[in-house]
């Protein structure tokens, strides 16, 4: 096996992870669950249209697509039904992206502060964390039920940084979507993009992206001085 050569180093004080598409390759399951639910509601969308247009917090998605058609109670039920279907489909197959377990183990050994900032609802975040035994790695998890503004607003990442007691600009954010990358940039934070769902060309107008990668197998961590760490790729 050829030895990996690392030519770039990014200084950071903390790591923040999006979840869906970033830690687990589950976005196509979400897309298909949305496609089915929207069809039930009378809205036919292709998978490409769902992939392009369905992003953010569930209640925002439903309002954006249907305006005032549904009451708040109905919106909550639609979102619940869709997410319950997602968990039922995925429970037997959920796995971390290649290399992530080793990357998290290395970060934990170096005592790098880590948090999760996800647009997923509380139930989905807890589902993934429990299924993958992620509790020991993360000091904080911020999910959609805790924020008022969804991505590309950086609020979810700002809350994670606050809980980690760092400046958001001193963290590095792992994301997979243009909307999430915009949220990172809007929070003055650098990002690394997992190309599980979108191609690199879809991020061409978004600043502060450091690197694109399919998984975590060719990236490593090292200790700097004081509370500084380096991500090498």
């Amino acid at each position: 096996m050829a030895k990996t050569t690392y030519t770039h180093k990014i200084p950071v004080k903390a790591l923040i992870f999006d979840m869906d598409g970033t830690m687990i390759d589950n976005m196509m399951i979400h897309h298909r669950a949305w496609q089915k639910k929207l069809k039930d509601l009378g809205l036919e969308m292709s998978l490409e249209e769902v992939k392009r247009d369905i992003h953010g917090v569930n209640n925002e998605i439903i309002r954006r697509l249907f305006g005032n058609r549904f009451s708040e109670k109905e919106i909550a039920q639609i979102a619940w039904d869709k997410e319950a279907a997602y968990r039922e489909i995925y429970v037997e197959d959920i796995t971390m992206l290649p290399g992530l377990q080793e990357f998290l183990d290395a970060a934990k050994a170096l005592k790098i502060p880590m948090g999760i900032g996800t647009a997923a609802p509380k139930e989905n975040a807890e589902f993934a964390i429990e299924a993958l035994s992620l509790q020991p790695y993360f000091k904080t998890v911020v999910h959609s039920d805790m924020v008022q503004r969804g991505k590309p607003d950086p609020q979810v990442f700002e809350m994670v940084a606050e809980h980690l007691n760092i400046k958001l600009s001193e963290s590095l954010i792992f994301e997979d979507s243009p909307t999430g990358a915009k949220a990172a940039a809007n929070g003055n934070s650098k990002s690394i993009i997992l190309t599980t769902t979108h191609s690199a060309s879809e991020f061409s107008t978004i600043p502060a992206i450091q690197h694109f990668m399919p998984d975590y197998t060719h990236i490593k961590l090292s200790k700097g001085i004081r509370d500084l760490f380096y991500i090498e790729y």
Side-chain angles (χ1 to χ4, degrees):
M1 182 182 295
K3 184 177 179 180
T4 300
T5 301
Y6 301 95
T7 58
H8 298 83
K9 295 175 74 170
I10 307 171
V12 297
K13 290 188 176 180
L15 304 177
I16 299 176
F17 294 79
D18 171 54
M19 181 176 285
D20 293 352
T22 301
M23 302 181 74
I24 49 180
D25 191 3
N26 62 343
M27 291 309 297
M28 189 53 67
I29 296 171
H30 275 298
H31 294 332
R32 292 189 182 281
W34 267 119
Q35 186 185 38
K36 182 179 184 303
K37 188 60 185 176
L38 293 174
K39 184 177 181 180
D40 292 343
L41 298 172
L43 180 59
E44 296 269 3
M45 294 181 73
S46 68
L47 277 176
E48 280 304 310
E49 289 172 328
V50 171
K51 179 179 173 181
R52 183 191 68 212
D53 297 333
I54 306 302
H55 50 76
V57 179
N58 284 345
N59 58 1
E60 292 179 355
I61 292 169
I62 296 165
R63 290 193 195 98
R64 187 166 67 243
L65 294 176
F66 296 101
N68 297 322
R69 175 177 164 185
F70 299 110
S71 67
E72 290 300 313
K73 184 176 180 180
E74 289 170 327
I75 287 173
Q77 187 61 55
I78 291 167
W80 175 266
D81 292 344
K82 180 264 167 182
E83 299 304 339
Y86 154 78
R87 293 190 296 273
E88 184 176 351
I89 293 168
Y90 201 38
V91 66
E92 297 297 329
D93 298 317
I94 185 169
T95 55
M96 279 186 264
L97 284 177
L100 179 57
Q101 180 70 69
E102 293 79 5
F103 186 76
L104 293 177
D105 286 338
K108 187 172 184 289
L110 290 171
K111 298 182 180 179
I112 302 176
M114 291 190 289
I116 294 173
T118 175
K122 177 177 183 285
E123 293 81 7
N124 285 10
E126 291 178 346
F127 160 73
I129 288 165
E130 291 172 10
L132 299 171
S133 301
L134 294 172
Q135 299 93 330
Y137 298 97
F138 295 100
K139 291 186 177 181
T140 184
V141 178
V142 178
H143 50 72
S144 66
D145 298 3
M146 300 168 67
V147 300
Q148 289 73 50
R149 302 180 302 278
K151 301 171 186 177
D153 189 286
Q155 184 184 24
V156 65
F157 296 139
E158 290 169 344
M159 289 181 68
V160 174
E162 182 180 354
H163 294 171
L164 295 177
N165 197 31
I166 60 145
K167 296 177 182 178
L168 182 55
S169 60
E170 296 176 328
S171 72
L172 183 131
I173 296 172
F174 291 91
E175 261 288 355
D176 73 300
S177 73
T179 303
K182 288 176 185 176
N186 289 339
N188 297 315
S189 183
K190 299 180 179 70
S191 62
I192 285 180
I193 305 302
L194 280 298
T195 54
T196 54
T197 315
H198 298 270
S199 64
S201 63
E202 295 176 73
F203 298 80
S204 59
T205 62
I206 304 171
I209 295 173
Q210 306 296 297
H211 182 48
F212 294 90
M213 60 187 193
D215 54 41
Y216 296 83
T217 55
H218 297 293
I219 188 170
K220 74 172 186 176
L221 295 160
S222 58
K223 182 75 174 73
I225 59 172
R226 294 188 293 275
D227 56 350
L228 199 64
F229 305 90
Y230 291 99
I231 293 179
E232 301 183 47
Y233 62 91

